[in-house]
Amino acid sequence: MEKFIIVDGNSLANRAFYAMPYLSNREKQPSGAVFGFANLIVKLIVEQKPKYMAVAFDHARKTFRNNLYEGYKAKRKETPEDLIFQFPVIKSMLQKMGIKIFEIAGIEADDIIGTLAQNKDTQNILVSGDRDLLQLINDNTEVWLTKKGVTDIERFDEKALFEKYHLAPCGITDLKGLMGDASDNIPGVLGVGEKTALSLLEKYDTVENIYQHIGEISGKLKEKLELGKEMAFLSKTLATIKTDCEINFEMSDFCFEFPFSQELRDFFEAWDFRSLTNRKDIFGDGVHSKRQEVNKICLETLNDVEALAQKVKNVFCYDLKSLEFAINGQEIYFLKKEIDLFSQTIDLNDVLKIFKPIFENNSILKITENSKFDLSVLNEVGITLENFFDLEIARYVLYAGLPKHAESTVNEFISDKENLEKKMIEQNVYKIYSEIEIPLVKVLYSMENEGFKVDKE
């Protein structure tokens, strides 16, 4: 069967918003939730290769459940302004991906998902952070719950659900009926928590059966159940997902465009999602980055290298792995690396000796992506490295644990440094970078260079 992935849009946007550090684009607009959401969608498409995909959003908080219980979702915190701003951006991104969006007045995203998941001709994968959806599991439907962040996912089919909770899918509504759900302000039975609820359901299966055998239960638990009987049945009703909403659709509505289009790549570039923009596996052959064209200049002789060294004033960008150098955003200087029988290449050590006064000049800022590696290379020719900014360490301070950003080209180092430095100051982590991480580079290099003895015994 073809795969049909249905995503809980509100749940995933919230997860992404709170999981990501504060991110913004060049226009200072918040973008963390959009970036996290985009990474999840890309991960699902690349790894699962679904034929169909849909994303469901809540239209508003007031639904038919509020008519049953006025307090339903009443205690939820107000949505942060930065997240409210990002919802239409996420929806715009999904439209550029060609992914079908559902948002229906008076109906929650869960009910839309429950209705769409009734399709028996596809392998349905429901993606959410909300355990309510576990009740929708069946022979051709799995629920994937996001755990930490948005890309760490726990998969549930009927077997996995039973192993973890000793419940069948239909038991989820009974569980919520007894223990309630604080996130939705579903009351449940006062004083009955998850552990007690699970033990009751393991013995009696359903809320209805518990009350049919209430005489077998004694003590305070019996009192709690008797006092909370009305709320138990109401809570079960509130937790039950509607699977017969009036939604008109054809499965062809859920086909989407992949590899992605130039329009989506332009969107990623506009929002500074470089790690996504640079992924060749998600865009078609005719899709290209709109990065500014860069003039590449080959350093063929030591005289060319000396001429470049003379141009260096306040900043020097370099990459000793790719053997590329820059002093502005418009030009990349590179060493010729091709070797054949008829041409000579200049020796890297001779190049580094020409740049020695630059590397050791404390008034010239050096920008790199791998300062510890640089220390090793430079030390071999007797050069010390002073006053440097390491882009990769700055990214680590800001984005540790998140999908790795694509490396920049040397002509982008200056703008990247300014952007990263600004964000570290805004997030009050610049001292971690400057007073801990950067001094540690030289300590770690020294340790690696010195080595240590091993007791073989």
Side-chain angles (χ1 to χ4, degrees):
M1 287 192 291
E2 298 285 359
K3 289 181 181 178
F4 181 18
I5 295 181
I6 313 171
V7 176
D8 182 344
N10 286 77
S11 173
L12 269 297
N14 273 277
R15 285 270 177 170
F17 179 77
Y18 288 106
M20 303 293 288
Y22 180 80
L23 299 179
S24 61
N25 66 0
R26 70 196 73 171
E27 305 297 330
K28 300 182 180 179
Q29 297 168 316
S31 61
V34 186
F35 181 66
F37 204 106
N39 271 287
L40 175 73
I41 296 296
V42 169
K43 179 182 175 72
L44 290 170
I45 291 173
V46 170
E47 294 182 1
Q48 299 306 315
K49 299 177 174 57
K51 181 175 181 179
Y52 309 108
M53 201 161 192
V55 180
F57 289 94
D58 293 331
H59 182 269
R61 285 191 179 178
K62 294 290 184 182
T63 69
F64 66 91
R65 290 181 179 85
N66 295 99
N67 297 327
L68 298 174
Y69 178 58
E70 190 175 343
Y72 181 67
K73 291 191 176 181
K75 294 183 179 179
R76 284 205 170 175
K77 295 179 181 178
E78 289 297 317
T79 305
E81 289 295 324
D82 281 352
L83 178 54
I84 291 173
F85 172 85
Q86 292 179 76
F87 270 110
V89 183
I90 290 171
K91 292 168 188 175
S92 174
M93 176 184 71
L94 291 170
Q95 288 170 346
K96 289 172 173 55
M97 290 176 168
I99 295 173
K100 180 73 173 177
I101 297 171
F102 281 96
E103 189 174 11
I104 303 172
I107 301 175
E108 292 185 59
D110 286 1
D111 302 311
I112 296 170
I113 294 169
T115 301
L116 298 180
Q118 295 312 297
N119 183 58
K120 302 297 183 184
D121 298 323
T122 51
Q123 180 186 344
N124 305 318
I125 299 172
L126 316 182
V127 183
S128 177
D130 190 347
R131 288 196 302 174
D132 285 354
L133 294 188
L134 294 172
Q135 65 189 269
L136 299 173
I137 293 172
N138 56 40
D139 289 344
N140 67 308
T141 302
E142 294 182 4
V143 172
W144 293 8
L145 295 181
T146 53
K147 295 167 68 180
K148 295 178 182 177
V150 290
T151 55
D152 185 3
I153 290 174
E154 186 174 14
R155 304 180 182 190
F156 285 94
D157 56 13
E158 289 180 287
K159 181 181 177 183
L161 178 63
F162 188 80
E163 286 176 355
K164 184 156 186 174
Y165 296 109
H166 295 282
L167 290 174
C170 59
I172 295 297
T173 55
D174 294 287
L175 179 64
K176 294 291 179 80
L178 293 171
M179 64 175 280
D181 185 340
S183 65
D184 288 338
N185 201 35
I186 295 175
V189 176
L190 187 63
V192 173
E194 182 172 324
K195 187 176 179 180
T196 302
L198 287 171
S199 65
L200 286 167
L201 293 173
E202 191 169 3
K203 186 173 182 180
Y204 298 107
D205 292 329
T206 66
V207 168
E208 290 79 3
N209 203 34
I210 290 169
Y211 282 100
Q212 286 174 9
H213 294 84
I214 195 71
E216 299 173 12
I217 303 170
S218 59
K220 288 189 176 180
L221 179 56
K222 181 179 181 180
E223 291 177 20
K224 292 174 183 176
L225 289 169
E226 287 177 333
L227 285 171
K229 182 177 181 179
E230 183 180 347
M231 280 301 179
F233 284 99
L234 174 61
S235 297
K236 179 175 178 176
T237 300
L238 292 173
T240 300
I241 292 173
K242 188 175 173 63
T243 59
D244 58 353
C245 299
E246 293 183 9
I247 303 175
N248 295 319
F249 64 88
E250 300 289 339
M251 285 309 297
S252 58
D253 297 340
F254 306 121
C255 294
F256 59 95
E257 183 177 359
F258 190 81
F260 294 131
S261 66
Q262 182 69 52
E263 185 181 21
L264 182 65
R265 187 163 200 164
D266 294 345
F267 173 90
F268 286 161
E269 287 194 336
W271 283 89
D272 298 326
F273 296 162
R274 186 174 295 157
S275 61
L276 291 169
T277 304
N278 291 343
R279 286 188 54 173
K280 295 179 181 178
D281 61 325
I282 63 174
F283 294 104
D285 293 336
V287 176
H288 302 287
S289 173
K290 287 190 175 180
R291 283 186 177 183
Q292 182 179 351
E293 288 296 320
V294 178
N295 185 26
K296 290 198 170 186
I297 303 167
C298 181
L299 301 172
E300 297 183 347
T301 68
L302 290 179
N303 287 336
D304 293 338
V305 177
E306 288 174 349
L308 171 60
Q310 293 298 317
K311 294 180 181 179
V312 176
K313 301 301 180 187
N314 301 315
V315 64
F316 181 55
C317 307
Y318 67 93
D319 186 331
L320 295 184
K321 289 186 175 180
S322 66
L323 302 181
E324 294 180 335
F325 312 91
I327 55 176
N328 56 46
Q330 289 75 49
E331 297 168 330
I332 293 176
Y333 296 85
F334 66 96
L335 293 182
K336 186 176 181 181
K337 296 186 284 293
E338 297 81 3
I339 299 175
D340 58 49
L341 294 175
F342 307 103
S343 63
Q344 279 187 309
T345 56
I346 52 181
D347 189 271
L348 177 61
N349 289 348
D350 292 334
V351 173
L352 295 178
K353 287 174 184 176
I354 292 172
F355 288 143
K356 177 180 169 76
I358 297 171
F359 284 120
E360 295 183 343
N361 190 333
N362 219 12
S363 64
I364 297 175
L365 175 66
K366 275 69 67 178
I367 306 178
T368 176
E369 282 190 319
N370 200 335
S371 56
K372 187 153 67 68
F373 171 79
D374 302 340
L375 288 171
S376 177
V377 173
L378 296 173
N379 185 62
E380 289 293 318
V381 288
I383 299 174
T384 59
L385 179 61
E386 302 294 340
N387 186 20
F388 62 89
F389 188 96
D390 192 313
L391 299 170
E392 196 58 31
I393 291 175
R395 293 181 191 123
Y396 169 76
V397 170
L398 286 166
Y399 310 125
L402 299 176
K404 190 178 184 336
H405 284 57
E407 293 182 350
S408 307
T409 51
V410 288
N411 64 301
E412 298 172 320
F413 281 10
I414 296 173
S415 61
D416 280 3
K417 179 258 180 187
E418 292 172 353
N419 185 42
L420 290 165
E421 194 170 53
K422 179 183 175 184
K423 287 184 177 179
M424 286 191 290
I425 292 169
E426 287 174 351
Q427 296 181 35
N428 200 28
V429 294
Y430 186 74
K431 280 191 174 184
I432 295 174
Y433 167 81
S434 62
E435 297 182 14
I436 298 175
E437 295 295 342
I438 290 301
L440 189 59
V441 170
K442 292 188 177 182
V443 174
L444 292 174
Y445 162 69
S446 178
M447 290 170 65
E448 291 177 7
N449 191 48
E450 181 70 22
F452 54 88
K453 294 180 179 179
V454 177
D455 184 343
K456 290 189 290 186
E457 297 302 320

